[in-house]
Amino acid sequence: MPAFRQVGEKQLPQEIIFMAWSPKRDLIALANKVGEVLLHRLANFQRVWSLPPNENTGKEVTALAWRPDGKILAFGLADTKRVILCDVEKPESLHSFSVDAPITYMHWMEVTEESSVLTSFYNAEDESNLLLPKLPALPKNEEKSDEIMKLLGDVRLNALVLGGSSGFIEVYAYGMYKIATVIGVAGSCLGLCFSSDLKSLSVITEVQVSPDSVPEITYFQLDTSLLSVYLPEVTRMARKFTHISTLLQYIKLSLTCMCEAWEEILMQMDSRLTKFVQEKNTTTSVQDEFMQLLLWGKASLELQALLMNQLTVKGLKKLGQSIESSYSSIQKLVISHLQSGSEALLYHLSELKGMASWKQKYESLGLDAAGIEDAITAVGSFILKANELLQVIDSSMKNFKAFFRWLYVAMLRMSEDHVLPELNKVMTQKDITFVADFLTEHFNEAPELYNRKGKYFNVERVGQYLKDEDDDLVSPPNTEGNQWFNFLQNSTHLKESPLLFPYYPQKSLHFVKRRMEGIIDQCLQKPADVIGKSVHQAVCMPLYKGSKSEDSTPRLFKLPFMWNDKSSNLHYVLFTMLESSLSKIYILRRHTDVSRSAANGLLAVDFGNFLNNSINESSDTSFYSCIDAHFYDDETITVVLKENAEQEGKERILAQLPLSSVYVDEDQEREFSLNSSKRLDEQSDDIPTRTIFLESQWRVLENMKAQYVAVNGIRKVSCVLSSNLRHVRVFEMDVEDDGEAEEEEEEEETTQIVGGEHEELNLSAVNHSSVCGGSAELADETEEHESSLDS
């Protein structure tokens, strides 16, 4: 029986350029050349969902990474320089942010370091849940509200590390907020590995001095001990940053819902009146026309035509209902969502300000109390503008209600229709004055407004607050006679007082929100700069000359590959240096503590003839080259090998390489003494070599020109991709006997389908019996069944 059991095989319609297994589930994320991101499950390689390329987000996927809990998938887009965080449950973007350079690699790690301080923080209930009310779900979009909260994830710190061109490296806590901008690394990033204790960051870059020169592959080890020393403080600070970022996302969505609640029909009155001005032949102003109707009950023929033929009784009724419905919805959103989110934002910023005041703990991390105070002030200004909008809505609803009631009766009388008794009441002097004031304020022709907006009137005052533009409000609130406003304007001391939030009467709610976001971003940017500057280079090791091959295959599919062994605090780098067929694999290991060098070393591995000439019986010295390698777990490397024999149809082999067979003699790897003035490939003859004869953990990949592999040791699975980037095979790696394997598979399937945990995917059941054989039939992509991800 061959090692490893094949459970799926597929020919895909598009070339696959990235593969990444979920760390917690039997799911694999793929990206293809057309910019589509796909999620497949292990069984039969069945597709769960696909996210097509988007003009707004981007079409050129250049990196994939899973959050350590497997609930969020991140991918980078080169054409738009954006990073997208996508929910595993459905193909939708939960969060996105821009970066300064195209992303070439991303690594998402979880901190495993333990301490009493961290443990108490992890176990303590978040005080904000006790002190703040739960944010209400967004209307018609309740799932979106829950999804935003998913961005917070577990309390334990995790970090998304991004590498790009021109030495670009940034670290995002919880994948949300930037906590470090690393400088001083040259070249385009090929690989990243952040140690789980945050002591060091290993980076491999490709440096090309000129377009004609051959690129040089270089290994850097960066000392990030500041993050390690202040780990409890970094965790608390990062958690606050993530709360703040999540709340900004919530406020943004709330404002989007408000814009959707505002309807274009509300602009009808402005457009009809503007058309009336352009077409009427009399010199009487519109305001006077309506005043005459109010005071004398008679309208000119032109006004009658406007009211009865264009606006109509039915249209007026519909407009009144639309305004009442729209304003009520916006009012509820401001009170329940916008104000709740803003108050929670104030709470977390105030907490952050208190942390910044503890200089012994947080000053070294760049937390700036003055900058946070500016952010608090900006949130206060946003709350003031939201309250102003509430006042405008309240006033507009009263005005429109009185105006439409009067105009409705007047139009019924013009049409000689029956007026209901409850409407046919004599207007009091107070009612007449109220409507007259409304006409005076709202029905005054404004030629300068026509030049700006193409209309003479701005009867509807709420929509201007929801427009995302820098222009001043068309009709700002009238502050004349406001005693508090006049008092502040006349008081030189209070006008500039830090105790009062600045007020921007001329600006829209969107403008004040964007200003608030900018100030918060600026305030939270300083820690990233300070922490980034504390990172310094501990090791710089030129490895080898790269290839000037015209091969356009993305670099993620090519060695080197990096791995962090959490148990022994080691970084491993797997790479090959020769383009010839006799390619060895080199294993470099470095301790994550840059001050310790005892565990550092370098070994080369080549593979002897372990097939016993079963493939090529005429060859007595058959051996193999490594064409791809990934760490399966801390103790095993999964490799794809090819024969070096000179014959047609060389077989490809999938094999497991135990590290215990490589590191037999601990002193052997230390025999090599690095000459720092030379590249590693110039010293390759001096590197100690281990020849490995694999015994059982290998399998010949028949009828497949295998080239790349993606593995997941936690789920015990691997996915092999052919050199044409379309043909994939999926294997279960640790298989006992067929009977036990089938039982385990059935139990796992039952758990996934029936399990009550909310975070587990409830995928549609799949008949595993069809995939238990040695190979699965190739299925066309069009015959794939979409698998649901209902939680």
Side-chain angles (χ1 to χ4, degrees):
M1 288 294 294
F4 324 138
R5 183 176 60 171
Q6 181 176 318
V7 294
E9 186 168 16
K10 189 77 73 176
Q11 288 281 4
L12 299 174
Q14 299 292 341
E15 294 179 355
I16 299 300
I17 55 174
F18 297 111
M19 304 186 293
W21 281 103
S22 166
K24 298 292 185 184
R25 305 171 188 184
D26 293 337
L27 297 168
I28 186 169
L30 309 172
N32 60 32
K33 276 198 171 181
V34 298
E36 188 179 20
V37 177
L38 309 107
L39 193 67
H40 285 252
R41 69 170 298 170
L42 172 66
N44 251 353
F45 209 70
Q46 191 177 28
R47 190 169 69 185
V48 178
W49 55 248
S50 66
L51 183 62
N54 185 296
E55 290 284 352
N56 298 323
T57 55
K59 296 183 176 181
E60 190 181 341
V61 180
T62 52
L64 286 176
W66 285 92
R67 195 167 74 180
D69 64 3
K71 295 179 181 178
I72 302 288
L73 175 67
F75 56 95
L77 296 149
D79 48 342
T80 54
K81 297 180 184 177
R82 293 192 70 78
V83 174
I84 310 295
L85 302 188
C86 183
D87 184 9
V88 69
E89 303 278 345
K90 57 180 71 172
E92 289 182 3
S93 169
L94 289 182
H95 180 66
S96 67
F97 55 90
S98 298
V99 289
D100 295 331
I103 300 300
T104 55
Y105 195 89
M106 55 172 59
H107 166 65
W108 208 331
M109 54 75 66
E110 184 176 56
V111 175
T112 58
E113 193 75 2
E114 296 289 352
S115 71
S116 57
V117 177
L118 279 173
T119 303
S120 63
F121 175 65
Y122 293 153
N123 296 333
E125 186 174 0
D126 191 345
E127 286 186 356
S128 62
N129 293 333
L130 303 174
L131 300 174
L132 295 171
K134 184 181 177 182
L135 294 176
L138 296 167
K140 300 180 182 178
N141 210 350
E142 295 179 7
E143 288 184 3
K144 196 73 174 175
S145 307
D146 296 335
E147 288 165 4
I148 293 171
M149 295 303 115
K150 283 183 188 176
L151 290 170
L152 288 171
D154 297 330
V155 178
R156 182 179 291 275
L157 180 63
N158 60 71
L160 176 62
V161 191
L162 306 177
S165 56
S166 306
F168 172 86
I169 299 175
E170 290 183 341
V171 182
Y172 286 77
Y174 300 102
M176 292 281 290
Y177 235 96
K178 184 164 57 177
I179 57 167
T181 302
V182 179
I183 56 176
V185 176
S188 180
C189 180
L190 301 183
L192 290 165
C193 192
F194 208 172
S195 65
S196 57
D197 55 9
L198 298 186
K199 287 183 178 178
S200 68
L201 173 64
S202 287
V203 185
I204 290 185
T205 66
E206 182 180 55
V207 182
Q208 192 159 7
V209 180
S210 67
D212 299 327
S213 64
V214 177
E216 188 173 90
I217 311 301
T218 305
Y219 169 78
F220 296 91
Q221 188 173 15
L222 307 176
D223 185 348
T224 57
S225 53
L226 179 70
L227 288 171
S228 178
V229 171
Y230 289 93
L231 180 55
E233 290 75 26
V234 169
T235 304
R236 287 178 180 274
M237 183 178 76
R239 194 66 181 166
K240 283 296 172 192
F241 284 8
T242 310
H243 271 294
I244 290 166
S245 184
T246 304
L247 286 166
L248 288 174
Q249 184 83 343
Y250 179 83
I251 288 171
K252 179 182 177 181
L253 282 173
S254 299
L255 205 49
T256 301
C257 289
M258 289 165 58
C259 293
E260 290 172 355
W262 186 83
E263 302 174 31
E264 288 295 328
I265 192 174
L266 308 183
M267 300 292 292
Q268 271 193 12
M269 184 65 78
D270 294 345
S271 58
R272 299 266 194 243
L273 292 175
T274 298
K275 189 176 180 182
F276 178 58
V277 169
Q278 293 169 336
E279 293 179 355
K280 71 185 180 72
N281 297 319
T282 61
T283 56
T284 312
S285 68
V286 173
Q287 187 184 108
D288 290 344
E289 293 268 8
F290 277 92
M291 281 291 191
Q292 288 176 13
L293 178 60
L294 173 66
L295 297 176
W296 315 117
K298 292 183 179 180
S300 66
L301 294 176
E302 288 182 323
L303 183 59
Q304 280 188 45
L306 167 71
L307 297 177
M308 304 308 296
N309 299 335
Q310 295 187 33
L311 193 57
T312 73
V313 174
K314 188 177 179 181
L316 181 70
K317 196 171 182 179
K318 184 180 178 183
L319 182 60
Q321 291 170 347
S322 296
I323 285 179
E324 186 172 2
S325 170
S326 178
Y327 284 7
S328 296
S329 299
I330 295 171
Q331 193 175 44
K332 288 174 185 174
L333 282 165
V334 174
I335 294 170
S336 61
H337 296 74
L338 217 58
Q339 289 188 335
S340 299
S342 302
E343 287 164 5
L345 197 55
L346 269 182
Y347 169 84
H348 287 292
L349 282 169
S350 300
E351 288 262 290
L352 204 58
K353 182 185 174 185
M355 290 159 63
S357 301
W358 194 354
K359 295 190 175 182
Q360 178 188 356
K361 294 281 188 182
Y362 292 96
E363 190 174 36
S364 300
L365 299 175
L367 210 52
D368 179 24
I372 297 169
E373 184 63 51
D374 291 340
I376 291 172
T377 301
V379 176
S381 296
F382 179 73
I383 293 174
L384 282 180
K385 182 55 70 171
N387 284 330
E388 179 190 308
L389 175 58
L390 281 178
Q391 293 174 9
V392 170
I393 291 173
D394 188 57
S395 171
S396 295
M397 286 178 76
K398 290 177 182 175
N399 289 337
F400 274 121
K401 194 170 184 179
F403 172 70
F404 283 141
R405 181 189 175 95
W406 160 72
L407 191 58
Y408 182 64
V409 172
M411 290 172 69
L412 286 176
R413 286 173 178 159
M414 284 182 202
S415 61
E416 297 181 354
D417 284 350
H418 173 67
V419 181
L420 296 174
E422 59 267 23
L423 294 175
N424 197 15
K425 294 179 181 177
V426 178
M427 290 185 70
T428 64
Q429 186 62 44
K430 185 179 179 181
D431 295 334
I432 293 173
T433 304
F434 192 81
V435 174
D437 289 343
F438 175 77
L439 292 172
T440 304
E441 186 178 352
H442 292 75
F443 282 66
N444 197 15
E445 292 176 35
E448 70 281 358
L449 178 59
Y450 185 80
N451 296 331
R452 278 177 61 192
K453 301 291 183 181
K455 61 180 184 178
Y456 288 104
F457 303 93
N458 192 46
V459 178
E460 199 282 318
R461 300 288 171 93
V462 174
Q464 59 182 346
Y465 284 86
L466 305 178
K467 293 191 181 300
D468 192 4
E469 52 190 35
D470 294 334
D471 291 349
D472 288 351
L473 295 178
V474 173
S475 303
N478 185 7
T479 56
E480 289 182 19
N482 187 313
Q483 295 180 353
W484 172 248
F485 191 81
N486 293 335
F487 175 65
L488 289 182
Q489 291 298 107
N490 297 326
S491 172
T492 54
H493 298 291
L494 280 177
K495 193 188 298 183
E496 305 298 330
S497 172
L499 299 174
L500 299 175
F501 296 140
Y503 174 51
Y504 302 96
Q506 304 292 329
K507 297 298 181 182
S508 71
L509 186 66
H510 255 294
F511 177 88
V512 179
K513 180 190 78 82
R514 277 192 283 112
R515 179 181 175 278
M516 172 185 73
E517 289 172 338
I519 292 174
I520 290 175
D521 282 344
Q522 187 177 356
C523 126
L524 301 185
Q525 173 66 34
K526 190 175 179 183
D529 295 336
V530 170
I531 293 171
K533 288 174 182 175
S534 75
V535 176
H536 62 272
Q537 182 180 303
V539 175
C540 177
M541 186 186 300
L543 298 181
Y544 55 92
K545 283 286 188 182
S547 169
K548 287 194 69 176
S549 159
E550 297 300 319
D551 181 14
S552 60
T553 306
R555 282 298 322 207
L556 184 62
F557 270 161
K558 299 179 182 178
L559 293 173
F561 175 75
M562 306 178 76
W563 178 263
N564 175 49
D565 184 343
K566 303 179 182 68
S567 58
S568 55
N569 293 325
L570 291 173
H571 279 170
Y572 287 91
V573 183
L574 306 177
F575 59 95
T576 55
M577 291 194 293
L578 303 177
E579 296 298 325
S580 71
S581 61
L582 310 181
S583 179
K584 300 176 183 177
I585 182 170
Y586 294 83
I587 307 176
L588 170 68
R589 64 177 181 178
R590 305 282 309 180
H591 200 281
T592 59
D593 188 342
V594 296
S595 64
R596 294 175 60 183
S597 59
N600 298 343
L602 177 64
L603 272 178
V605 176
D606 64 11
F607 296 88
N609 181 18
F610 53 85
L611 290 183
N612 297 320
N613 299 326
S614 61
I615 295 176
N616 181 14
E617 295 182 2
S618 65
S619 174
D620 297 326
T621 58
S622 175
F623 58 100
Y624 313 91
S625 292
C626 178
I627 53 178
D628 198 17
H630 284 251
F631 265 85
Y632 180 74
D633 54 30
D634 290 341
E635 299 170 354
T636 312
I637 301 172
T638 302
V639 294
V640 177
L641 307 174
K642 71 175 180 179
E643 285 187 287
N644 292 325
E646 298 294 330
Q647 83 249 15
E648 292 291 326
K650 299 176 184 177
E651 296 283 4
R652 302 294 168 100
I653 298 147
L654 179 66
Q656 296 285 60
L657 172 62
L659 284 183
S660 57
S661 65
V662 177
Y663 294 105
V664 176
D665 182 1
E666 289 291 335
D667 294 326
Q668 185 184 16
E669 64 173 332
R670 299 192 192 107
E671 292 173 5
F672 174 68
S673 179
L674 176 69
N675 183 345
S676 57
S677 63
K678 292 182 178 180
R679 283 195 320 273
L680 212 54
D681 57 353
E682 296 171 335
Q683 310 170 60
S684 58
D685 293 340
D686 300 327
I687 298 173
T689 301
R690 288 275 300 150
T691 301
I692 303 296
F693 295 88
L694 298 175
E695 296 180 1
S696 60
Q697 290 294 299
W698 53 268
R699 174 174 178 147
V700 175
L701 299 170
E702 298 168 346
N703 303 318
M704 183 183 194
K705 194 177 179 182
Q707 190 76 23
Y708 308 106
V709 64
V711 295
N712 182 349
I714 298 172
R715 307 302 294 184
K716 301 181 176 14
V717 288
S718 70
C719 181
V720 180
L721 180 67
S722 68
S723 57
N724 70 2
L725 305 182
R726 291 173 186 257
H727 183 190
V728 294
R729 282 185 191 167
V730 183
F731 296 92
E732 287 183 345
M733 303 298 283
D734 292 353
V735 181
E736 302 188 7
D737 64 49
D738 275 359
E740 289 180 2
E742 282 187 24
E743 283 181 19
E744 288 174 7
E745 195 170 5
E746 286 170 6
E747 287 174 9
E748 184 179 343
E749 183 184 70
T750 304
T751 303
Q752 286 184 338
I753 296 172
V754 181
E757 289 293 322
H758 177 70
E759 70 268 19
E760 286 296 316
L761 298 180
N762 189 5
L763 300 171
S764 62
V766 174
N767 183 2
H768 281 258
S769 61
S770 64
V771 295
C772 289
S775 64
E777 288 186 1
L778 296 184
D780 208 36
E781 181 72 3
T782 56
E783 295 175 356
E784 286 185 5
H785 297 288
E786 294 295 326
S787 177
S788 65
L789 267 173
D790 300 328
S791 57

